[in-house]
């Protein structure tokens, strides 16, 4: 819709609904090579690549292209500890497929990324019906044994889990040193701050295994936690803000001295006091051990300083709503002590208020200003309203290995339709309904959970229009239609000058721009 003077400015803004459990793996095969271009046996690096192919003269019009080479077999040599199938799962070069040097080089990179091999070489051998691709791997030394000497407080299973090394893994000085560091940090967290871990074996080329020598030192526990200088909050309240506490159930759980955790508790108490208006609060700590050195009295020393009051609260940049209604809705008010949680709540309230009226990209920031008068401050909320947006199109992308869910299943759970003013609260509600439907994956470890993405109009200026359009593949029984027909009970799509482009391939998240005639793709995403 074209903006007119004296009226609100509306933008048709597409929504992208993405749901699924993973992404398809798309393999693109490159230009093949004629049989005469490949000698009987030579390294793959010597083969003519893409750059060499580009330097060749273009084919004559009307002349048939030369036949492409086929991969007859894929061989793996040089592996002693690893089985063939462990390497083959990283190789996408397959027999009876066209030979692609770029794909072979990608296979080499995938094998090297496992960290189990110090080098991988590739060769080809000529065969009557094609070529044989050979992967020669050079393995790193393997870990034959892992031993922990001197551990009394922690068991073998916990130590093995912490450093993550296993028998049969590649042996390197880096992984051994990293495991030593992890074990030392583990002991420090477990109340043994003086524990040291050294490497007896595992950092030399001639070593066959890894041996850790552990000097645990003396176990330290927290006996008491006290606070000094606190007036606004009681000791019980402050204890809820920290993690360093005495143990319980006869010290079967907790109570161990962790110096990193104590320093983190100092920061937490400082943030807590400043959130209550004590902007100049300072917190320190004292460690007082008994004569045995086993029991610690942890004392936090607090200098609260003055508590700041809010003199004035103002809102700048707002034209949609008047100042008075906004100030009346806020929980933080003039004359009261500053409270960080109240200010954060007011920020969220103003942002959601604008989002409910179509200002999808409204930006609200708080600017606390300290005055020369002691203990006084002003709060200024800066608002950038932005334009009002309507729903232009709703595109559904259902990813997965074999997607079969109809797009109407997703659209029925959307409370927004083309032509509606976008309400961010409705967008969040629609997303929650899709997650609660139990039709799509909601575990982030298995893939992207369902989400509703709103593409900003600025993406139109940033998008790359020079990229070629991908091949379109259907992904649902309804085909690539973005919206069901009006007979299904939905209003007609948002008016547009040109027809809508088709949906991207399965497993590709659409990146929609403001216009309806320009699309780009981000994916494919890995599950």
């Amino acid at each position: 819709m074209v903006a007119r003077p004296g009226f609100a400015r509306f933008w048709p803004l597409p929504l992208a609904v993405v749901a699924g459990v993973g992404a398809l793996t798309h393999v693109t095969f490159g230009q093949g090579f004629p049989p005469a271009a490949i000698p009987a046996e030579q390294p793959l690096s010597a083969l003519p690549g893409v750059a060499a192919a580009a330097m060749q003269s273009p084919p004559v019009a009307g002349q048939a292209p030369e036949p492409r080479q086929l991969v007859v077999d894929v061989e793996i040599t040089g592996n002693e500890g690893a089985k063939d199938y462990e390497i083959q799962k990283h190789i996408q070069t397959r027999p009876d497929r066209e030979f692609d040097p770029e794909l072979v080089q990608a296979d080499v990179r995938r094998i090297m990324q496992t960290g189990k091999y110090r080098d991988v070489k590739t060769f080809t051998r000529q065969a009557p019906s094609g070529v044989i691709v050979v992967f020669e791997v050079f393995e790193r030394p393997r870990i034959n044994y892992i031993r922990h000497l001197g551990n009394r407080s922690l068991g073998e299973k916990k130590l093995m889990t912490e450093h993550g090394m296993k028998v049969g893994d590649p042996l390197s000085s880096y992984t051994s040193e990293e495991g030593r560091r992890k074990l030392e940090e583990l002991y420090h967290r477990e109340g043994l701050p003086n524990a040291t871990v050294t490497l007896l074996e595992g950092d030399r080329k001639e070593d066959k295994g890894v041996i850790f020598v552990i000097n645990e030192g003396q176990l330290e526990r927290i006996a008491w936690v006290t606070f000094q200088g606190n007036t606004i909050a009681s000791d019980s309240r402050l204890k809820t803000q920290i993690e360093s506490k005495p143990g319980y159930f006869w010290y079967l759980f907790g109570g161990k001295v962790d110096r990193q955790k104590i320093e983190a508790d100092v920061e937490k108490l400082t943030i807590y006091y400043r959130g209550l208006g004590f902007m100049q609060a300072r917190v320190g700590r004292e460690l007082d051990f008994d004569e045995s050195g086993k029991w610690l009295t942890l004392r936090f020393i607090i200098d609260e300083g003055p508590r700041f009051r809010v003199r004035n609260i103002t809102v700048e940049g707002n034209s949609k709503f008047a100042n008075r209604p906004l100030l009346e809705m806020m929980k933080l008010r003039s004359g009261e002590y500053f409270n960080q949680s109240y200010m954060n709540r007011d920020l969220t309230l103003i942002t959601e208020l604008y989002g409910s009226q179509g200002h999808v990209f409204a930006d609200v920031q708080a600017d606390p200003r300290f005055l020369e008068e002691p203990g006084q401050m002003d709060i200024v909320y800066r608002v950038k309203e932005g334009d009002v947006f309507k729903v232009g199109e709703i595109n559904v992308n259902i990813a997965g290995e074999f997607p079969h869910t109809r797009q109407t299943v997703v659209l029925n759970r959307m409370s927004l339709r083309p032509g509606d003013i976008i309400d961010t609260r409705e967008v969040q509600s629609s997303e929650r309904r899709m997650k609660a439907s139990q039709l799509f994956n909601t575990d982030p470890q298995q893939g992207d959970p369902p989400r509703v993405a709103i593409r900003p109009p600025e993406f139109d200026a940033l998008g790359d229009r020079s990229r070629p359009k991908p091949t379109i593949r259907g992904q649902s029984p309804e085909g690539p239609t973005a919206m069901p027909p009006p007979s299904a009970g939905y209003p007609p799509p948002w008016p547009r000058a040109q027809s809508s482009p088709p949906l991207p391939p399965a497993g590709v998240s659409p990146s929609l721009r403001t216009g309806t005639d320009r699309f780009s793709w981000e994916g494919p995403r890995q599950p």
Side-chain angles (χ1 to χ4, degrees):
M1 180 178 291
V2 180
R4 299 179 180 179
F7 295 91
R9 189 179 184 187
F10 294 90
W11 287 85
L13 187 63
L15 299 180
V17 185
V18 184
V21 297
L24 293 177
T25 303
H26 300 278
V27 181
T28 303
F29 297 96
Q31 178 67 30
F33 292 85
I38 303 179
E41 181 173 351
Q42 63 177 0
L44 188 61
S45 58
L47 293 176
V50 177
M55 297 175 61
Q56 298 176 359
S57 58
V60 181
Q63 181 179 356
E66 297 182 357
R68 297 182 178 182
Q69 288 279 41
L70 293 180
V71 178
V72 177
D73 193 11
V74 177
E75 298 181 359
I76 300 175
T77 62
N79 54 317
E80 299 178 358
K83 304 296 183 181
D84 286 355
Y85 67 86
E86 296 179 355
I87 304 176
Q88 287 173 351
K89 65 182 181 181
H90 302 289
I91 298 176
Q92 294 185 2
T93 301
R94 297 285 188 270
D96 299 330
R97 293 185 180 179
E98 295 178 358
F99 176 76
D100 187 356
E102 293 185 358
L103 183 60
V104 174
Q105 292 299 327
D107 295 337
V108 172
R109 289 193 294 270
R110 279 189 290 269
I111 297 174
M112 292 295 296
Q113 287 175 358
T114 61
K116 298 180 179 180
Y117 310 95
R118 56 182 176 85
D119 193 12
V120 178
K121 294 183 179 180
T122 56
F123 300 90
T124 58
R125 291 203 306 267
Q126 189 68 38
S129 57
V131 295
I132 300 174
V133 182
V134 181
F135 291 86
E136 184 178 4
V137 298
F138 298 86
E139 297 180 340
R140 295 182 182 273
R142 299 280 177 164
I143 299 177
N144 296 324
Y145 51 85
I146 300 176
R147 298 170 186 168
H148 307 91
L149 306 180
N151 58 310
R152 300 185 305 274
S153 302
L154 303 180
E156 289 286 330
K157 184 177 181 180
K158 189 168 187 177
L159 296 179
M160 293 287 290
T161 303
E162 183 66 21
H163 58 62
M165 302 170 66
K166 296 176 294 186
V167 174
D169 288 350
L171 176 61
S172 67
S173 58
Y174 173 79
T175 55
S176 300
E177 177 61 26
E178 186 70 9
R180 184 205 66 80
R181 183 189 61 82
K182 291 181 179 180
L183 291 182
E184 200 166 82
E185 291 182 355
L186 172 64
Y187 272 98
H188 293 173
R189 294 196 305 267
E190 293 293 331
L192 296 164
N194 299 320
T196 59
V197 180
T198 57
L199 278 171
L200 184 62
E201 289 186 22
D203 55 348
R204 296 181 297 271
K205 294 182 179 180
E206 61 272 13
D207 292 340
K208 301 299 183 182
V210 182
I211 299 179
F212 298 101
V213 179
I214 303 171
N215 182 12
E216 295 184 345
Q218 186 170 255
L219 180 63
E220 299 175 353
R221 298 182 184 273
I222 300 176
W224 305 96
V225 176
T226 61
F227 301 89
Q228 180 179 331
N230 53 309
T231 59
I232 189 65
S234 63
D235 291 4
S236 300
R237 174 58 179 161
L238 295 179
K239 286 181 180 179
T240 62
Q241 305 296 318
I242 63 176
E243 296 185 17
S244 300
K245 303 174 186 178
Y248 51 95
F249 288 110
W250 295 277
Y251 282 86
L252 294 177
F253 302 97
K256 298 176 181 177
V257 177
D258 185 349
R259 283 173 168 76
Q260 292 183 357
K261 189 181 295 184
I262 293 174
E263 297 301 327
D265 291 338
V266 171
E267 292 295 327
K268 291 180 181 179
L269 291 176
T270 303
I271 295 173
Y272 172 75
Y273 267 94
R274 292 181 180 176
L276 295 178
F278 296 92
M279 300 301 180
Q280 300 176 359
R282 297 180 300 173
V283 180
R285 85 285 183 281
E286 287 185 355
L287 307 180
D288 187 10
F289 287 92
D290 63 355
E291 295 180 357
S292 64
K294 297 180 179 180
W295 297 98
L296 168 66
T297 299
L298 177 58
R299 184 179 299 106
F300 291 97
I301 302 175
I302 302 170
D303 180 12
E304 295 179 344
R307 190 176 188 184
F308 282 70
R309 286 182 179 270
V310 179
R311 189 186 66 174
N312 294 319
I313 300 178
T314 57
V315 183
E316 297 180 355
N318 56 310
S319 59
K320 182 89 171 185
F321 304 100
N323 286 350
R324 185 173 178 179
L326 292 176
L327 295 176
E328 290 178 352
M329 291 187 298
M330 294 181 182
K331 194 169 184 178
L332 183 62
R333 301 182 181 276
S334 301
E336 298 181 353
Y337 289 113
F338 174 80
N339 191 300
Q340 182 74 35
S341 61
Y342 289 179
M343 187 181 72
N344 293 339
R345 175 192 174 276
D346 295 338
L347 280 173
T348 303
L349 184 145
I350 298 174
T351 304
E352 291 182 350
L353 179 62
Y354 274 96
S356 66
Q357 301 298 317
H359 297 271
V360 183
F361 305 108
D363 183 22
V364 184
Q365 301 291 336
D367 181 16
R369 300 178 178 178
F370 299 97
L371 307 176
E372 295 181 358
E373 186 178 352
Q376 296 291 324
M377 64 185 302
D378 291 343
I379 304 295
V380 180
Y381 294 98
R382 300 182 180 275
V383 181
K384 294 182 180 179
E385 295 180 344
D387 296 321
V388 177
F389 292 94
K390 286 186 176 182
V391 180
E393 291 182 347
I394 302 178
N395 291 328
V396 181
N397 178 28
I398 303 177
E401 190 71 21
F402 302 102
H404 58 274
T405 304
R406 292 181 177 270
Q407 296 181 2
T408 52
V409 175
V410 176
L411 295 173
N412 288 337
R413 287 164 173 79
M414 292 288 297
S415 56
L416 292 173
R417 296 292 180 262
D420 294 347
I421 294 179
I422 299 179
D423 187 343
T424 55
R425 299 173 301 179
E426 294 298 330
V427 173
Q428 296 171 2
S429 299
S430 301
E431 191 173 279
R432 287 194 296 267
R433 282 193 290 271
M434 283 190 290
K435 292 180 180 180
S437 65
Q438 299 182 356
L439 297 174
F440 307 103
N441 167 61
T442 57
D443 186 0
Q445 297 181 353
Q446 298 180 1
D448 293 335
R451 74 181 190 277
V452 181
I454 304 176
R455 299 301 180 186
E458 289 79 3
F459 190 82
D460 185 42
L462 300 176
D464 186 3
R465 305 181 185 179
S466 62
R467 289 184 294 179
K469 294 183 180 180
T471 304
I472 305 302
R473 296 179 58 190
Q475 61 180 15
S476 74
E478 297 177 338
T481 307
M483 288 289 295
S487 59
Y490 295 92
W494 180 257
R496 54 189 181 273
Q498 301 181 11
S499 59
S500 301
L503 287 177
V508 179
S509 175
S511 178
L512 309 186
R513 306 176 183 178
T514 303
T516 58
D517 58 336
R518 304 186 186 97
F519 270 60
S520 66
W521 281 266
E522 298 176 346
R525 303 186 312 276
Q526 295 299 328

